[in-house]
Amino acid sequence: MIFGFFRKKKKAQTPADPLAAFDQLIEDLERQGAEVRKSAATLLALKGELTRSVDRYTRRMAELAERYQVAESRADIKAMQVLHRDQQQTETLLKSTREALERAEKDSQLLLEAANEVGSRVTELRTERQSASARLVAGSLVSGAMREQVERIEKVLAVDAARDEIERAHQLAEIYREERGAGEKAD
């Protein structure tokens, strides 16, 4: 069974148009930014839920402490054992919820910063793309003007070459005339 070890990897096609390369990168960054913002929003919602859970467990701890004091004042050992176990469970839940809340706060902050960085990068790339577009237009205008200038120079050179050819033809005719005149005098 072949697992594709010998297959050639497809290279990401780079667009021929340089502006299309900018557009593709901007589109990819915008997609990435949307995903990061979506993840940050999810974590922010989780953060709200965890905050409510911390409040609920804190209230439950206070309630259990009051009930434990009542059971202790009545010397109800069985109730004290049950309430102590409930306090330990609630304390464990409170601790894990606080840890999860802290982690969610850090992660959501990190994702928000990443979303801002991606947004800034997209803005920079859009500005750079506009500048590149202007430079390409200017470059094509300069290239067109240079092409016209080259065509004019080629025409001037062609005219000069034609003049040289005419001059050579005149000189050749002059040489033949001289030879003919010298040949007629000799006869």
Side-chain angles (χ1 to χ4, degrees), residues 22-37:
F22 273 103
D23 293 339
Q24 187 177 16
L25 180 58
I26 290 169
E27 183 180 317
D28 290 345
L29 284 175
E30 284 176 336
R31 197 173 310 119
Q32 179 185 359
E35 287 297 319
V36 169
R37 285 189 300 278

Side-chain angles (χ1 to χ4, degrees), residues 69-135:
Q69 286 178 353
V70 170
E72 191 176 39
S73 67
R74 292 183 185 168
D76 188 355
I77 305 243
K78 207 165 196 137
M80 287 172 53
Q81 289 174 343
V82 169
L83 290 170
H84 181 69
R85 188 180 66 238
D86 286 351
Q87 281 178 326
Q88 287 178 333
Q89 288 175 351
T90 304
E91 193 174 312
T92 302
L93 287 172
L94 180 60
K95 182 181 176 186
S96 67
T97 303
R98 282 183 176 152
E99 289 171 357
L101 177 60
E102 186 178 318
R103 190 171 50 245
E105 285 176 348
K106 288 179 183 176
D107 290 349
S108 64
Q109 185 64 32
L110 180 70
L111 287 175
L112 288 173
E113 289 172 6
N116 287 336
E117 288 175 12
V118 169
S120 296
R121 182 69 178 134
V122 166
T123 302
E124 289 172 8
L125 282 172
R126 286 179 193 250
T127 303
E128 190 176 344
R129 186 206 182 277
Q130 288 175 344
S131 175
S133 175
R135 285 188 305 231

